[in-house]
Amino acid sequence: MTQGLTPDQTDRLILYLVKNLTKGMPHLLVEGGGVLTTMLAKLLFLVDVWSMQVSGIQATNFRYIRYKHGPYPVAQFENRLETLGYLGLQRLPRERMEDGKPYRIYRLAKEPKVPLDLPPPVKLLADEVMTNFANRTLENVLAHVYSLD
């Protein structure tokens, strides 16, 4: 897939999704109101897929690989999340174990340190992904992503 946003805009998309997930999709959150890295990666993937369908350009600069739990931007994603603390992304002090592997949990500080403005087409796609999955369970979201893989 082609790159569409600069890293700063990709960071803002991550922050935008985390902020809005914690407000509008409580059933997709884990204990403490955080977003599991796997769920965030799948929603970013869906934004990228839809962006490619609409414009031919990816909405992030991630490069996805096949992974046992569906497409995942392993090389860049987890490192990027760790560096977004300066913008207001907080890693919760606990992890969730799935298949014997720890998955990190993140939430956004009450006041992010940057405006979460996105280009209108990217914001629209992110909002559409969240709207389409607002009433689905985690298992439904994962099943949908796996069907695209």
Side-chain angles (χ1 to χ4, degrees), residues 27-147:
H27 62 285
L28 295 180
L29 303 178
V30 293
E31 307 81 25
V35 178
L36 200 60
T37 52
T38 303
M39 175 54 60
L40 183 56
K42 300 313 180 227
L43 294 175
L44 284 162
F45 174 75
L46 290 171
V47 171
D48 278 336
V49 166
W50 290 7
S51 180
M52 286 293 291
Q53 291 172 347
V54 170
S55 68
I57 299 172
Q58 217 174 282
T60 73
N61 59 5
F62 289 135
R63 184 168 164 238
Y64 296 90
I65 62 166
R66 286 189 178 271
Y67 198 65
K68 68 178 180 177
H69 294 293
Y72 198 78
V74 174
Q76 313 101 340
F77 184 62
E78 293 182 15
N79 290 336
R80 176 168 277 177
L81 292 178
E82 289 298 312
T83 63
L84 288 179
Y86 79 99
L87 295 176
L89 190 68
Q90 300 173 330
R91 180 178 169 195
L92 297 182
R94 63 189 167 284
E95 296 175 332
R96 182 170 173 179
M97 296 298 289
E98 298 284 338
D99 296 329
K101 181 180 180 206
Y103 288 88
R104 296 177 179 142
I105 302 168
Y106 291 90
R107 69 176 175 205
L108 194 59
K110 291 184 181 184
E111 292 299 321
K113 298 180 179 168
V114 293
L116 300 182
D117 56 334
L118 294 167
V122 174
K123 182 182 179 304
L124 179 65
L125 287 170
D127 290 343
E128 284 183 26
V129 165
M130 288 187 287
T131 298
N132 276 284
F133 293 95
N135 296 315
R136 296 192 190 187
T137 64
L138 173 59
E139 291 76 21
N140 291 142
V141 173
L142 294 176
H144 180 76
V145 168
Y146 299 159
S147 73

